[in-house]
Amino acid sequence: MELCSCAVPVLPAIDISRSLDLELKIIWSDLCSRKALPPTGIALDSLAPWILWHLWTARNNLIFNNRHLTSAEVVSKAIASAREWVTSQGVASRNLTPPIRPPPIAIQGVCLIRTDAAWNETTKIAGLGWTIEESREVASYSRASRHVSSPLAAEGLALREAILKCRDRGISKIRCESDSAILVKAINNGKSLAEKYRCLAKQIFGDPEAADIVFTCGADIIAVGINVTHQVVMTADDRDKLASSNGKLGQYLCKILDLYYSYHLDAYEIKGVYLHDPTTIIAAFLPSLFTYTEGVVRVQTDSITRGLTLLYNNQKRFEEETEWSDKPSVKVAVTVDAPAVLKLIMDRLMES
């Protein structure tokens, strides 16, 4: 494997008992078995994994945050992480050689995909990467994704991109591997994890092709657009009510809403915030607070109208076959009882 330029100064700064071969892929198990000398304080545990981990995070800091870490800082962070790990195990020191895991057993006709992601908290941009291994041939892919809300969402998007690539290649049987334990557990257990659904559905503008597929797949869908959610506003007076209430969630929400209120004042010139997500959630379990129409919904996938959703209400029949023909209908919210929705949200927050 090749090491980036920022990795070279760090390794000589660590005093080890034998020479260090940089062909890590070949001698990884041997490297992990080597012991760090005093005064690191972890003489019986391996320091190598922590050095490589903090080299990786230093590389991400340099690329995404333009922050340069010195070799001494990288080593210091590695030692601190190693000590924290040893302490968390409840044992002062252990002579433990990391197990060498055998490669996954190939299953005939099943394609193996591996995914990973990096996320920039400031720009909300994620770098997505995945590999597809089929018949011992490995293909690598990557892309950037904007407006990503969290590291978990980035991991989910990477997995989603890999699955979509397999679909495009006509691969129907896959085995997925990810280093995100939370994502893997949520998918395997069917856990209702909000960010899992966010990354699968994504924003319509960000992935209109996927949105068009969802709207025309025949599933039981309720669409609640921002023309409806813009009718539900939490004003500055509502925020003051939350602050003076005994609700713990209400008081906490008031403390973190400054940025959101400032954004709405700058962008929309209103002294309040639109309750997009809460309103949509309420539509799912209290549909009586909304009025609806039904029809075929399609999403524009190119030109300056990319991401625009269009509704055909099925009232006119065409002689010729069109892009709207034989498509299933979905339920689309038209109006909302905004005072009732706002009261429901406020009551829950003040009683929490």
Side-chain angles (χ1 to χ4, degrees):
M1 66 181 291
E2 296 181 359
L3 296 180
C4 61
S5 58
C6 66
V8 176
V10 175
L11 297 175
I14 290 295
D15 188 8
I16 60 175
S17 57
R18 288 181 284 171
S19 63
L20 182 64
D21 188 341
L22 293 183
E23 294 294 334
L24 302 183
K25 185 175 181 180
I26 300 176
I27 62 161
W28 174 245
S29 60
D30 178 63
L31 184 66
C32 289
S33 67
R34 301 189 186 189
K35 312 305 177 186
L37 299 180
T40 59
I42 50 171
L44 296 181
D45 283 271
S46 175
L47 190 56
W50 302 107
I51 295 175
L52 294 184
W53 167 248
H54 283 284
L55 280 173
W56 172 252
T57 58
R59 171 259 186 198
N60 286 345
N61 268 315
L62 182 61
I63 293 177
F64 296 111
N65 300 325
N66 198 27
R67 179 188 174 194
H68 181 269
L69 297 178
T70 65
S71 59
E73 289 176 316
V74 174
V75 171
S76 177
K77 289 177 178 290
I79 293 174
S81 295
R83 287 176 175 172
E84 183 180 359
W85 167 256
V86 171
T87 302
S88 69
Q89 306 310 300
V91 181
S93 62
R94 298 184 303 169
N95 186 6
L96 178 64
T97 300
I100 303 175
R101 295 184 178 180
I105 300 175
I107 303 176
Q108 186 69 26
V110 176
C111 177
L112 174 63
I113 65 175
R114 293 187 173 98
T115 64
D116 199 1
W119 178 70
N120 187 307
E121 184 176 7
T122 303
T123 63
K124 305 300 182 184
I125 297 177
L128 316 177
W130 64 96
T131 62
I132 299 178
E133 182 177 342
E134 186 179 21
S135 301
R136 298 186 179 180
E137 295 291 333
V138 180
S140 300
Y141 304 89
S142 64
R143 61 160 293 185
S145 183
R146 297 180 179 274
H147 312 297
V148 180
S149 59
S150 70
L152 179 58
E155 294 285 356
L157 287 172
L159 179 59
R160 174 181 175 277
E161 291 296 330
I163 294 174
L164 290 176
K165 178 61 70 173
C166 288
R167 184 198 64 182
D168 293 342
R169 291 178 49 174
I171 300 172
S172 59
K173 295 182 179 180
I174 61 175
R175 171 182 171 180
C176 305
E177 293 185 359
S178 169
D179 62 355
S180 175
I182 297 176
L183 180 65
V184 171
K185 185 176 180 180
I187 294 175
N188 288 339
N189 297 344
K191 184 180 178 182
S192 180
L193 187 63
E195 285 180 286
K196 179 177 70 174
Y197 298 106
R198 184 182 303 134
C199 66
L200 291 177
K202 211 182 178 185
Q203 296 180 358
I204 291 179
F205 178 78
D207 198 342
E209 292 84 2
D212 189 63
I213 292 173
V214 171
F215 279 125
T216 58
C217 71
D220 184 11
I221 295 174
I222 298 177
V224 184
I226 61 173
N227 60 311
V228 174
T229 59
H230 273 187
Q231 300 174 44
V232 185
V233 181
M234 179 182 287
T235 66
D237 291 338
D238 295 325
R239 184 185 180 186
D240 292 339
K241 291 180 183 178
L242 291 179
S244 60
S245 71
N246 294 324
K248 294 182 179 179
L249 293 180
Q251 293 177 2
Y252 174 75
L253 190 64
C254 290
K255 296 178 182 178
I256 63 175
L257 277 177
D258 285 339
L259 180 62
Y260 204 39
Y261 271 88
S262 298
Y263 164 76
H264 279 72
L265 184 60
D266 293 339
Y268 300 103
E269 297 183 346
I270 64 169
K271 294 182 179 180
V273 295
Y274 296 126
L275 301 180
H276 300 296
D277 293 349
T279 302
T280 304
I281 292 172
I282 290 175
F285 66 88
L286 280 179
S288 60
L289 296 179
F290 300 77
T291 62
Y292 303 90
T293 186
E294 290 193 15
V296 178
V297 173
R298 301 299 304 271
V299 183
Q300 188 71 26
T301 58
D302 55 20
S303 75
I304 62 172
T305 58
R306 176 179 171 87
L308 177 68
T309 54
L310 304 171
L311 171 68
Y312 166 53
N313 59 14
N314 299 330
Q315 292 181 357
K316 180 180 179 179
R317 297 184 179 276
F318 297 94
E319 293 295 333
E320 71 278 7
E321 185 174 341
T322 70
E323 293 293 334
W324 303 88
S325 302
D326 300 323
K327 295 294 189 296
S329 295
V330 301
K331 186 180 290 186
V332 179
V334 178
T335 65
V336 57
D337 186 345
V341 170
L342 179 61
K343 183 178 184 303
L344 179 62
I345 296 171
M346 292 289 291
D347 289 347
R348 292 294 186 273
L349 291 173
M350 289 190 293
E351 295 170 2
S352 59

